[in-house]
C-alpha cells in the first residue's frame, strides 16, 4: 500500500511539472500572438525563470528573454540573458515550436545570429598526450582552449599578462612553462578574458601542481675504500613521509678515471627549448606540437600492412599525472611524479565599450 502511494505521489509530481512546463509555454505563446508586447512577456517570464528547474525550460526562457530585451533596445538585459542562455544553459533549446511559425522563425533567426558571433568556450583542458608519452614539446605544457567563434583574448596570472591575441574557432593552445610549474609546484590562479560581440567573458582557471620526489640522505662521511655505503631512501608526497627504506651501494673508486656527473639537478622537460629564440611563446601552435611529438612516437606511426596508420588522437583531461626520470645532486637516478589538476569557473561578464 505504501509503495502504491509513493508511486502515485511521483506520478502526480511528474504531471504537475509537465503541466507547469506546458503552462508557461502556452502563456508566452499567447502573449506573442496577442500584440507581442515584449515588456509584458519579459515581466511574466522573468519571475517565472527563477522557479524553473529543467535546463531545457531555462534555455528556452532565457533565449526568449534575451530576444525581448533586444526588441526593447535594452543592451544590459540582452547581455544578461544571452550570457545566461549560452553559459548556464549551453545554448540548447527546443526550437520554440510552441510559438506560431512567424514568431518561431524570428526568435530562432535572432538567436542564430548570436550563435554565429558569441565567444562561447566549450572546453578548457590539459592534454594527456599520445599513447603513454606526455605531449610537452619545447618544455611547454599545453592548455587547450576550445571556442566556437573567433575572439580576442587575454591570459593572465594575477596582474601579469602572459599571453594575448586572437583565438580561432576550434582548438587553440596556450603555452604554460613546464619548468616553472614543476620546479615551483603549488596552486596558480589564472584569468582568461575573451572579447567579441560587445561582450567580455571572463574565466578563472585554477591549476594545482603537486610534485612527489624520493629524497636521499647521503652519508655524513665517505666510507673507507671498498666498503659499502648505506643510504636512506624516503618518498614524500605533499610534504609527508609515506615510505622509507635503506639502500646499500659500493662506491666506485675514482682511480678508475670516471668523471663525476655534472648533469643539472631538476626537471628538464625543455630538452629542445632554445631560450635565445626571439619568437614569443604564443607563436606555438598545436600543429607544431603534434609534429614534434611524432618524432618521439615513431613506433605508433609505422606503416602496417602497407597502409598508413591513422595518426594517434589527442585526449584532453582535467587531471594529469606525469612521471619524469632525472639525476639528483649525487648523480643518482630518481623518478618524480607530477600531478596536475585543472578547475575552471565563470566570472562576471563585462559589457565592452565600442
Amino acid at each position: 500500500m505504501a509503495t502504491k502511494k509513493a508511486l502515485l505521489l511521483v506520478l502526480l509530481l511528474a504531471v504537475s511539472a509537465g503541466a507547469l512546463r506546458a503552462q508557461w509555454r502556452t502563456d508566452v505563446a499567447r502573449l506573442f500572438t496577442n500584440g507581442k508586447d515584449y515588456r509584458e512577456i519579459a515581466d511574466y517570464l522573468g519571475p517565472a525563470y527563477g522557479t524553473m528547474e529543467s535546463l531545457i525550460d531555462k534555455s528556452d526562457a532565457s533565449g526568449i528573454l534575451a530576444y525581448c530585451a533586444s526588441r526593447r533596445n535594452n543592451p544590459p538585459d540582452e547581455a544578461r540573458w544571452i550570457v545566461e542562455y549560452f553559459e548556464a544553459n549551453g545554448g540548447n533549446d527546443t526550437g520554440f515550436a510552441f510559438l506560431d511559425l512567424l514568431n518561431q522563425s524570428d526568435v530562432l533567426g535572432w538567436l542564430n545570429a548570436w550563435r554565429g558571433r558569441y565567444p562561447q568556450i566549450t572546453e578548457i583542458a590539459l592534454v594527456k598526450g599520445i599513447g603513454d608519452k606526455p605531449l610537452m614539446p619545447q618544455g611547454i605544457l599545453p592548455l587547450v582552449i576550445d571556442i566556437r567563434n573567433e575572439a580576442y583574448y587575454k591570459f593572465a596570472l594575477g596582474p601579469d599578462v602572459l599571453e594575448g591575441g586572437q583565438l580561432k574557432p576550434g582548438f587553440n593552445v596556450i603555452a604554460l612553462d613546464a619548468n616553472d610549474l614543476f620546479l615551483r609546484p603549488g596552486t596558480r590562479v589564472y584569468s582568461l578574458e575573451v572579447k567579441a560581440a560587445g561582450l567580455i567573458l571572463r574565466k578563472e582557471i585554477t591549476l594545482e601542481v603537486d610534485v612527489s620526489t624520493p629524497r636521499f640522505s647521503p652519508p655524513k662521511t665517505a666510507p673507507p675504500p671498498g666498503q659499502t655505503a648505506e643510504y636512506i631512501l624516503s618518498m614524500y608526497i605533499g610534504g609527508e613521509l609515506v615510505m622509507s627504506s635503506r639502500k646499500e651501494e659500493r662506491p666506485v673508486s675514482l682511480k678508475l678515471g670516471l668523471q663525476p656527473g655534472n648533469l643539472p639537478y631538476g626537471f628538464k622537460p625543455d630538452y629542445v627549448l632554445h631560450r635565445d629564440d626571439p619568437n614569443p611563446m604564443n607563436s606555438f601552435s598545436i600543429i607544431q606540437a603534434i609534429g614534434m611529438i611524432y618524432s618521439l612516437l615513431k613506433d605508433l606511426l609505422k606503416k602496417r600492412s602497407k597502409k598508413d596508420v591513422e595518426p594517434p588522437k589527442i585526449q584532453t583531461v582535467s587531471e594529469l599525472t606525469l612521471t619524469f626520470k632525472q639525476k639528483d645532486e649525487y648523480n643518482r637516478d630518481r623518478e618524480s611524479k607530477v600531478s596536475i589538476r585543472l578547475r575552471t569557473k565563470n566570472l562576471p561578464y563585462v559589457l565592452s565599450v565600442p
Side-chain angles (χ1 to χ4, degrees):
M1 187 67 180
T3 304
K4 289 184 178 179
K5 287 184 177 179
L7 179 60
L8 180 61
L9 179 60
V10 170
L11 290 174
L12 287 173
L13 290 174
V15 170
S16 299
L20 181 62
R21 183 180 302 117
Q23 185 59 46
W24 80 258
R25 284 184 166 85
T26 300
D27 291 344
V28 167
R30 186 180 66 253
L31 290 171
F32 264 95
T33 303
N34 298 338
K36 200 157 47 176
D37 187 328
Y38 298 117
R39 179 178 292 279
E40 186 180 4
I41 295 171
D43 288 345
Y44 168 82
L45 200 50
Y49 182 86
T51 66
M52 296 178 184
E53 296 182 358
S54 167
L55 187 63
I56 198 66
D57 280 356
K58 287 189 168 186
S59 186
D60 278 359
S62 57
I64 290 175
L65 284 164
Y67 170 80
C68 290
S70 171
R71 291 297 181 262
R72 293 167 51 209
N73 194 26
N74 188 333
D77 270 7
E78 180 183 352
R80 171 195 172 187
W81 290 112
I82 203 67
V83 170
E84 188 76 9
Y85 174 76
F86 282 108
E87 299 298 321
N89 305 320
N92 300 313
D93 53 59
T94 62
F96 308 99
F98 54 91
L99 299 177
D100 64 84
L101 189 59
L102 180 60
N103 285 311
Q104 178 191 17
S105 177
D106 286 346
V107 172
L108 281 174
W110 183 84
L111 283 173
N112 285 337
W114 258 110
R115 204 181 304 275
R117 65 182 189 273
Y118 185 85
Q120 185 180 12
I121 294 175
T122 57
E123 184 179 31
I124 299 176
L126 300 167
V127 177
K128 183 176 181 180
I130 306 173
D132 60 352
K133 299 287 186 180
L135 183 60
M136 201 176 300
Q138 294 193 343
I140 292 168
L141 180 68
L143 179 68
V144 171
I145 309 294
D146 205 325
I147 191 168
R148 291 197 184 279
N149 293 301
E150 188 175 275
Y152 292 102
Y153 80 100
K154 180 173 69 175
F155 183 72
L157 178 61
D160 300 323
V161 177
L162 303 181
E163 287 193 23
Q166 191 175 50
L167 297 175
K168 297 296 183 181
F171 205 72
N172 298 266
V173 169
I174 288 179
L176 301 179
D177 187 343
N179 278 299
D180 180 63
L181 290 171
F182 299 166
L183 288 172
R184 298 191 302 113
T187 300
R188 289 170 174 78
V189 180
Y190 301 93
S191 63
L192 174 67
E193 295 183 1
V194 292
K195 178 181 178 181
L199 285 171
I200 299 176
L201 301 182
R202 301 163 62 234
K203 307 278 186 180
E204 182 180 276
I205 303 171
T206 301
L207 206 62
E208 298 174 358
V209 180
D210 181 71
V211 178
S212 58
T213 305
R215 300 178 184 176
F216 293 97
S217 299
K220 294 182 179 179
T221 58
Q227 290 191 15
T228 300
E230 192 173 68
Y231 300 89
I232 302 297
L233 173 63
S234 302
M235 170 67 80
Y236 290 80
I237 297 181
E240 296 184 3
L241 178 66
V242 296
M243 183 191 75
S244 180
S245 64
R246 292 185 177 275
K247 178 180 177 64
E248 293 184 349
E249 176 180 328
R250 186 174 298 275
V252 178
S253 172
L254 293 179
K255 293 181 180 180
L256 295 177
L258 300 178
Q259 297 297 321
N262 58 0
L263 293 178
Y265 171 60
F267 294 95
K268 298 301 292 178
D270 57 341
Y271 55 95
V272 292
L273 178 62
H274 304 293
R275 295 195 179 275
D276 294 331
D277 190 345
N279 293 327
M281 277 286 196
N282 59 10
S283 64
F284 165 84
S285 72
I286 192 63
I287 301 301
Q288 293 171 324
I290 296 172
M292 292 175 183
I293 206 66
Y294 278 174
S295 64
L296 302 177
L297 301 172
K298 293 179 181 178
D299 290 341
L300 293 178
L301 300 174
K302 286 181 179 178
K303 292 184 178 181
R304 217 180 310 164
S305 301
K306 297 183 179 180
K307 293 183 179 179
D308 291 336
V309 175
E310 181 182 355
K313 295 180 180 179
I314 293 176
Q315 182 180 354
T316 55
V317 295
S318 60
E319 295 187 11
L320 182 63
T321 299
L322 305 171
T323 301
F324 292 95
K325 291 183 179 180
Q326 61 186 104
K327 296 287 187 181
D328 71 355
E329 61 268 48
Y330 303 104
N331 201 29
R332 302 187 199 294
D333 290 325
R334 301 170 68 184
E335 187 174 86
S336 298
K337 182 177 290 185
V338 179
S339 299
I340 309 171
R341 184 185 177 203
L342 175 72
R343 292 181 287 112
T344 63
K345 74 174 184 179
N346 292 335
L347 298 175
Y349 68 90
V350 177
L351 272 173
S352 64
V353 179

